[in-house]
Amino acid sequence: MFLFWGIYITAFAQHIPHQIKGKVLNASSLNPIEGVTVMGNGLFAVTSASGEFYINNVKTDHCVLTISHVGFEIKQIHVTNDENDEDEEAIKILLNPSRTSLKEVQLYAKKQFHQPIEMPMISKQVDKEFMEQNRENSLMQTLSKIPGVTTINIGSGQSKPVIRGLGFNRVVVVQNGVKHEAQQWGADHGLEIDQYAVESIKLIKGPAAIMYGSDAIAGVVDIQQPSIPLKNTFKGEVNVLGESNNDLLGISTGITARTNQWFYRTRLTYRDFADYKVPTNKISYENYLFNLHDNNLRNTAGKEADASFSLGYKNNNFITETTFSNVNAKNGFFANAHGLEVRNSDIDYDSSNRDIDFPYHKVNHFKITNNTKIALGDHQLVIDVGFQNNIREEHSEPVPHGYMPKPENSKERRFHKNTYSLNIKDDIHINDQHHLVAGINLEQQQNTIGGWGFLIPTYQRFTAGAFVYHQLKINQKLDIMSGIRYDFGLINTKEHFDWYRTPVENNDGTTSQVYLQRARNKSLDFSNFSGSVGVNYQHHNTTYKVNIGKSFRMPLANELASDGINYHMYRYERGNINLQPESSYQADVEFNYAGNKVHVNVSPFVNYFDNYIYLNPTSNYDNSENLQTYEFTQAKVFRYGGEVSVATTLFKKLELQASGEYVYSRQTSGAKKGFTLPFSPPLSGLFTATYLFKDLSFITSPKLVVDYKITASQEEIVPPEEITEGFQVMNISWFANLYLLNKTQSVKAKFKINNVFNTKYFNHTSFYRLIDVPEPGRNFSISLTIPF
Amino acid sequence: MKFLKPYFILWLMVVTACSTDNDIDKDLDKPTITVNYDGGFPQGCEQLQRGNTYIIKAKVTDNLALASYSIDIHNNFDHHTHDDQGKICDLEPIKTPVNPLIFKENFKIEGNLKEQEIEIELNLPESIDTGDYHCALSVTDQTGWNTRTSIDIKIVE
């Protein structure tokens, strides 16, 4: 049985980079041996004083390691990847003193938990090493190096995910198996996640409704649980980060420990940053000119404090972990124009670049999750339970607007949302050919509102989904997976009236002063089927994936029921209670070749939306405030695009990588027929060169990475967007492991220069693009990871 | 044969990515609005007298077809904003509004016109607060592009 799973994984795993750990002992004395060479399949390590070795980023599931040391017999071992079970104890290798015969030892992973099956989605596994190497100011900026992933940035500390040109609620963010509920409230609202607490992410490009629920119409950012620590270990690290552009200071410290069966983890993170600098001293927006003091983008400072703690228990067939986390942040927004609204103020914004004045927002996201996995023979039961409480407050200077008198306080909007989630899944191994997964997802959400501004009504939402997917393994190379899902959702919106009166003309010519109604009591339900079929073919180093699916997304409360002024965007937003659920049909193909010298990945897609929901700028003005009316409407949309990446290693020292991404979108019906979709990412390419230097005394594995990004101009726009010019920007980073403290533990150092030439450029998908604010200027950053 | 497959897919990608866009012509031009011509009213820092009636005049144009225009006159007693006319007007000290003028109207432009001089009648009652005001004008075209302009004015006795 266990042996079978070993082979099974070899055939089907997605080659998730993993770690091999081991300890080499003298077979006769059982003392650790230092300096032993471990190599094979392009992997290499040397044992420490305690005889231990680690090989990171192993991409094959089965490899042969050759262990050699002077005075001992060479030994070869077969290592089979244990995929999900990071719990495997370090491989113990006993080296016999010379003159003994060469022996072949087979080491197979012992496991009760089998590898769950997966649909052949176009996905990318992101590990801790990727996170450390590419870490930027927000989680999504870190991930945006992956072809097909872009971000909507809001200043220097926040960003929203965009996958192949689709963002907002079309991308599901999952953390610890539970859908992360944040960022839906507005274009200026980012994810609420401590990126230092993230160890591995699975990023799915394309619809993944079957497994992740109906909102995953564009893709998924699945933040997976960190690996379970090794038995009887205690590990800690401190990460320190300093940046010059926004004078950022960040510190994060984490501890993981495990006795035999109990384990815990904890992490504290604090970041504080000033206004960020842009390579210009004035911003001209429409006919306005804003002079910047010392290149600082006024009032974009922020701070963040995060804490998390988890406690878990693991034995051979049972794992449970309960995680508590809290993310708290305060971010300022550009003072001269938030959204599109131009403002004057008496506030002396330039007196300090660290203070956070109006407008700003405060967010707090508290979360408890429990993840339990039970192995029962051929069944594997996974139960994920979650509670999330998030509060967001937007504060701005109280000023009268239209008929609204001056409010008493600065609290423009307050959102308070509680979300309860329950996911249950049974993973059944029927026989060698058939594998079945069935499950349900339940979510209950309540949103209440406050403050003097109105945008989204108070609402309750209940969603339930049931799914089943099946894997048919035809032979070692070919398998076919199919799945079906049914979702049901109920939304109740609550009525809302203005707190001030507006004059309204009656039919008889008289005028009444009324409290205008902004939202109505409504109860709406939605249901739909999603389905997908995929084929996975793997032969030697080459993998082909084809996936065809239909997925859908329920309209959100603001799409259905908003009716009010968004002063930040200077527009009147009107929901449409008659919106139908969005449905999308997509075909994805992926070709992947992982040779010894060259790695090629090509992943095109074609996508069609029956009724894409979109906020359409009309040619009318609303009668109460005289602002342009934007209405939520639906249109047919046709899209295609894809990503290409090629990587090669020259002279074992130089790694070259090139990747490109492109998305074409066209509305084929409705008011904006012929136009693209809002926030369409332009064609872009990224070229990366990595050079490995020789070790120099205590400095090991030093490497230099040069990134060069070329982005074409974006001329595909839709009102009210502007054409964005193309740009080229270069980043340089240097990495090394420094053995400063002792010989076994190294300090990881990173020195990075972003935007080396201080290029002034605009990012078409940035929130501040609307008001002609360029991207941040040159930035020097230093980060250190110190183990203890 | 087998080794050709990746190149074929790559070629397919390039071809689809570069295929030309033979769609209908999209309207990418915003309408324009200005008071900067002889007869445009009001001009930056213009003083308007209470009790009088004025005609707001502005020229609007579009490459295809104009749709609507709107006017919004509100007080700037708190100095919350400034105009885009390039002139800096002398503002009176900050004060609390008692009976400020709120003038908001919007109108359709019928007949798929490409050019028009819009005219809006503005009555200034004797009872309104004098002081600094802000006159915001905007125009849309039939595609949904919107253009704004704003002028700082003063209402005097």
Side-chain angles (χ1 to χ4, degrees):
Chain A
M1 168 71 195
F2 304 139
L3 204 111
F4 166 75
W5 282 114
I7 299 162
Y8 174 85
I9 287 158
T10 312
F12 294 106
Q14 305 222 330
H15 295 295
I16 299 164
H18 58 274
Q19 190 189 48
I20 297 175
K21 11 183 196 247
K23 191 168 186 173
V24 183
L25 303 173
N26 183 324
S28 41
S29 68
L30 293 180
N31 286 330
I33 315 170
E34 189 184 353
V36 178
T37 311
V38 182
M39 60 193 301
N41 295 46
L43 307 167
F44 181 78
V46 177
T47 59
S48 67
S50 57
E52 288 170 334
F53 69 90
Y54 296 91
I55 306 175
N56 287 317
N57 208 16
V58 180
K59 285 179 178 125
T60 51
D61 295 315
H62 187 101
C63 60
V64 180
L65 295 180
T66 307
I67 292 114
S68 57
H69 191 58
V70 181
F72 291 88
E73 263 305 342
I74 292 171
K75 194 168 205 165
Q76 276 195 322
I77 61 161
H78 290 252
V79 181
T80 303
N81 173 30
D82 196 4
E83 210 63 48
N84 253 17
D85 192 5
E86 301 81 357
D87 184 40
E88 195 49 39
E89 284 187 57
I91 303 163
K92 206 175 272 180
I93 298 154
L94 300 178
L95 281 194
N96 293 312
S98 299
R99 283 181 288 108
T100 35
S101 58
L102 180 86
K103 247 190 200 167
E104 195 180 79
V105 185
Q106 295 267 345
L107 288 182
Y108 277 107
K110 237 200 299 179
K111 56 168 48 184
Q112 294 288 340
F113 291 100
H114 57 250
Q115 167 74 359
I117 63 160
E118 286 174 348
M119 298 296 290
M121 303 290 178
I122 314 307
S123 66
K124 162 96 185 158
Q125 188 70 35
V126 176
D127 59 2
K128 201 175 180 186
E129 195 183 329
F130 179 96
M131 294 287 297
E132 279 171 358
Q133 287 208 2
N134 297 291
R135 197 181 304 282
E136 296 290 343
N137 265 330
S138 68
L139 176 65
M140 284 317 301
Q141 283 167 10
T142 304
L143 298 181
S144 67
K145 211 178 168 188
I146 299 167
V149 179
T150 50
T151 59
I152 295 175
N153 296 332
I154 310 112
S156 60
Q158 296 191 89
S159 61
K160 299 164 92 73
V162 176
I163 296 177
R164 289 173 163 172
L166 299 178
F168 296 93
N169 265 65
R170 293 178 184 88
V171 173
V172 164
V173 178
V174 172
Q175 192 176 24
N176 296 345
V178 171
K179 200 163 134 193
H180 184 75
E181 292 287 350
Q183 66 118 3
Q184 296 105 321
W185 286 322
D188 49 7
H189 183 207
L191 287 179
E192 296 156 357
I193 284 173
D194 175 9
Q195 66 163 324
Y196 285 96
V198 175
E199 206 171 84
S200 74
I201 295 175
K202 183 172 171 186
L203 198 126
I204 298 175
K205 298 188 263 184
I210 303 292
M211 285 174 289
Y212 294 93
S214 65
D215 283 357
I217 206 161
V220 181
V221 178
D222 184 355
I223 300 163
Q224 296 164 328
Q225 273 181 287
S227 58
I228 295 169
L230 292 175
K231 281 181 183 176
N232 302 313
T233 55
F234 176 92
K235 253 193 202 171
E237 62 170 36
V238 178
N239 315 79
V240 188
L241 170 70
E243 290 186 5
S244 67
N245 179 282
N246 57 354
D247 292 340
L248 177 140
L249 187 69
I251 184 157
S252 180
T253 179
I255 292 169
T256 57
R258 179 169 168 188
T259 58
N260 189 15
Q261 289 173 321
W262 290 91
F263 59 94
Y264 73 88
R265 302 175 227 272
T266 182
R267 181 165 284 275
L268 292 170
T269 300
Y270 185 77
R271 280 148 44 90
D272 191 301
F273 51 94
D275 299 346
Y276 72 95
K277 284 181 164 52
V278 287
T280 182
N281 52 22
K282 54 175 181 275
I283 284 164
S284 68
Y285 161 56
E286 291 194 339
N287 299 318
Y288 295 96
L289 194 67
F290 309 127
N291 289 306
L292 299 182
H293 173 74
D294 203 12
N295 297 71
N296 288 325
L297 196 67
R298 207 161 274 135
N299 202 42
T300 53
K303 56 187 177 186
E304 183 183 330
D306 311 322
S308 63
F309 175 77
S310 80
L311 183 67
Y313 174 86
K314 177 179 164 67
N315 65 24
N316 280 344
N317 47 20
F318 180 76
I319 309 172
T320 186
E321 184 174 11
T322 305
T323 310
F324 299 82
S325 67
N326 198 66
V327 171
N328 187 291
K330 183 175 175 184
N331 294 81
F333 295 115
F334 181 44
N336 295 84
H338 182 191
L340 301 176
E341 190 198 17
V342 176
R343 295 303 311 268
N344 261 6
S345 175
D346 288 338
I347 298 171
D348 183 10
Y349 288 105
D350 299 334
S351 64
S352 159
N353 63 346
R354 293 204 91 84
D355 58 352
I356 305 169
D357 274 307
F358 298 125
Y360 69 84
H361 80 167
K362 295 195 287 195
V363 291
N364 193 77
H365 194 142
F366 172 73
K367 180 145 99 172
I368 309 173
T369 53
N370 174 274
N371 309 93
T372 301
K373 231 188 216 185
I374 307 159
L376 298 161
D378 288 338
H379 290 258
Q380 183 168 302
L381 207 60
V382 180
I383 303 163
D384 300 316
V385 187
F387 166 71
Q388 294 173 74
N389 170 282
N390 33 3
I391 296 170
R392 180 185 191 224
E393 283 186 7
E394 283 180 66
H395 288 261
S396 55
E397 259 185 287
V399 286
H401 253 306
Y403 296 103
M404 182 184 80
K406 184 176 169 173
E408 283 179 353
N409 56 40
S410 65
K411 194 165 76 187
E412 185 174 359
R413 283 190 266 267
R414 179 186 156 91
F415 301 100
H416 183 178
K417 188 164 64 178
N418 283 324
T419 311
Y420 304 83
S421 320
L422 172 65
N423 302 325
I424 301 171
K425 184 167 89 171
D426 188 10
D427 196 316
I428 313 151
H429 169 237
I430 300 169
N431 58 32
D432 290 359
Q433 265 92 46
H434 296 277
H435 195 127
L436 193 74
V437 178
I440 54 162
N441 308 111
L442 299 173
E443 193 191 87
Q444 166 76 29
Q445 187 172 90
Q446 277 167 297
N447 181 52
T448 50
I449 59 167
W452 44 265
F454 172 79
L455 209 56
I456 297 172
T458 291
Y459 69 87
Q460 282 195 2
R461 191 174 93 142
F462 170 76
T463 54
F467 62 87
V468 58
Y469 52 96
H470 172 253
Q471 179 191 43
L472 173 66
K473 201 164 99 72
I474 292 171
N475 57 40
Q476 288 293 333
K477 294 173 182 171
L478 182 69
D479 51 332
I480 297 174
M481 289 172 237
S482 51
I484 190 159
R485 179 185 177 97
Y486 180 75
D487 280 280
F488 171 78
L490 195 65
I491 297 177
N492 283 313
T493 59
K494 195 166 172 267
E495 62 181 14
H496 181 87
F497 293 89
D498 280 346
W499 57 275
Y500 55 90
R501 293 173 198 261
T502 301
V504 172
E505 253 181 60
N506 299 320
N507 291 335
D508 59 2
T510 57
T511 306
S512 312
Q513 299 284 331
V514 297
Y515 296 102
L516 285 181
Q517 183 162 16
R518 298 296 184 188
R520 290 168 203 286
N521 286 322
K522 277 275 178 187
S523 181
L524 296 160
D525 59 89
F526 301 96
S527 59
N528 210 316
F529 277 101
S530 312
S532 91
V533 180
V535 176
N536 195 8
Y537 179 81
Q538 191 169 10
H539 185 64
H540 296 305
N541 298 328
T542 313
T543 313
Y544 299 89
K545 287 179 185 178
V546 179
N547 197 42
I548 296 168
K550 183 223 165 207
S551 50
F552 95 114
R553 181 181 76 89
M554 260 176 256
L556 297 172
N558 63 319
E559 293 168 334
L560 293 163
S562 60
D563 187 5
I565 299 139
N566 185 346
Y567 275 115
H568 295 165
M569 304 310 283
Y570 226 70
R571 66 193 181 200
Y572 192 91
E573 294 181 0
R574 183 172 291 140
N576 182 350
I577 213 86
N578 299 315
L579 292 177
Q580 295 302 306
E582 237 174 33
S583 56
S584 161
Y585 303 86
Q586 180 152 328
D588 290 286
V589 177
E590 187 182 33
F591 162 80
N592 192 65
Y593 171 78
N596 286 333
K597 285 185 177 150
V598 183
H599 189 132
V600 180
N601 187 292
V602 182
S603 54
F605 73 94
V606 183
N607 172 219
Y608 177 73
F609 275 92
D610 256 355
N611 42 14
Y612 185 91
I613 299 174
Y614 136 82
L615 188 58
N616 174 40
T618 70
S619 50
N620 302 321
Y621 293 97
D622 88 282
N623 284 328
S624 67
E625 291 293 339
N626 273 282
L627 289 171
Q628 190 186 6
T629 304
Y630 280 57
E631 272 175 354
F632 283 99
T633 46
Q634 295 192 298
K636 294 187 196 310
V637 173
F638 175 67
R639 304 180 333 115
Y640 64 77
E643 302 83 34
V644 184
S645 72
V646 182
T648 184
T649 308
L650 300 173
F651 325 114
K652 292 183 180 173
K653 296 270 181 198
L654 181 66
E655 194 182 298
L656 297 172
Q657 203 176 342
S659 63
E661 61 191 65
Y662 177 75
V663 178
Y664 168 97
S665 312
R666 188 63 77 236
Q667 300 189 44
T668 60
S669 75
K672 295 290 180 286
K673 186 177 173 181
F675 281 93
T676 184
L677 292 176
F679 289 114
S680 286
L683 171 70
S684 75
L686 178 67
F687 299 87
T688 307
T690 306
Y691 189 82
L692 262 167
F693 289 90
K694 275 188 188 145
D695 292 358
L696 188 71
S697 112
F698 64 92
I699 304 168
T700 62
S701 330
K703 63 179 177 184
L704 187 73
V705 182
V706 179
D707 281 338
Y708 195 68
K709 186 169 183 167
I710 302 177
T711 300
S713 65
Q714 182 53 289
E715 287 165 19
E716 287 290 324
I717 54 166
V718 58
E721 292 179 351
E722 305 249 354
I723 287 175
T724 304
E725 293 295 311
F727 62 87
Q728 299 179 13
V729 65
M730 188 193 261
N731 300 331
I732 295 177
S733 29
W734 183 82
F735 301 87
N737 295 331
L738 312 176
Y739 284 86
L740 293 170
L741 307 171
N742 54 43
K743 282 184 175 176
T744 51
Q745 288 188 313
S746 66
V747 171
K748 284 181 186 160
K750 176 185 165 188
F751 178 70
K752 184 164 187 180
I753 311 169
N754 288 72
N755 194 358
V756 174
F757 301 111
N758 204 30
T759 311
K760 182 184 171 184
Y761 68 99
F762 296 92
N763 178 353
H764 189 71
T765 61
S766 165
F767 177 71
Y768 286 130
R769 166 70 190 105
L770 292 166
I771 44 172
D772 290 317
V773 171
E775 291 299 291
R778 187 185 297 124
N779 179 37
F780 296 92
S781 63
I782 295 177
S783 100
L784 296 173
T785 303
I786 306 145
F788 61 83
Chain B
M1 186 51 212
K2 208 190 282 166
F3 75 94
L4 281 174
K5 261 188 211 163
Y7 298 100
F8 173 73
I9 295 169
L10 206 73
W11 172 80
L12 208 72
M13 278 279 296
V14 171
V15 167
T16 43
C18 301
S19 63
T20 51
D21 207 350
N22 48 5
D23 277 309
I24 47 166
D25 280 337
K26 292 186 292 279
D27 174 21
L28 297 180
D29 293 323
K30 289 183 174 188
T32 66
I33 183 162
T34 182
V35 292
N36 293 318
Y37 65 100
D38 282 347
F41 185 84
Q43 297 290 312
C45 311
E46 190 112 31
Q47 300 205 341
L48 283 66
Q49 276 184 321
R50 276 200 307 206
N52 285 356
T53 297
Y54 294 91
I55 307 288
I56 309 280
K57 286 185 181 178
K59 267 188 187 160
V60 294
T61 66
D62 186 54
N63 61 324
L64 292 174
L66 293 159
S68 314
Y69 60 96
S70 83
I71 181 166
D72 176 355
I73 301 178
H74 55 265
N75 76 75
N76 193 22
F77 300 167
D78 59 355
H79 300 179
H80 74 268
T81 189
H82 52 85
D83 74 4
D84 57 2
Q85 300 298 304
K87 272 190 204 169
I88 293 172
C89 314
D90 292 329
L91 294 180
E92 291 174 13
I94 287 177
K95 63 177 184 181
T96 310
V98 180
N99 182 29
L101 172 75
I102 298 177
F103 183 75
K104 289 166 180 280
E105 295 284 340
N106 69 80
F107 309 90
K108 293 254 182 291
I109 302 173
E110 307 290 345
N112 299 329
L113 298 178
K114 289 187 180 180
E115 257 183 59
Q116 200 190 11
E117 184 177 32
I118 59 173
E119 296 188 1
I120 308 160
E121 192 179 282
L122 172 68
N123 284 308
L124 297 181
E126 286 285 2
S127 57
I128 57 166
D129 296 348
T130 57
D132 297 303
Y133 281 84
H134 195 70
C135 174
L137 295 166
S138 54
V139 62
T140 57
D141 68 9
Q142 288 182 5
T143 309
W145 292 106
N146 184 45
T147 302
R148 300 184 279 158
T149 189
S150 62
I151 309 123
D152 281 347
I153 54 171
K154 217 179 267 291
I155 294 178
V156 296
E157 297 214 15

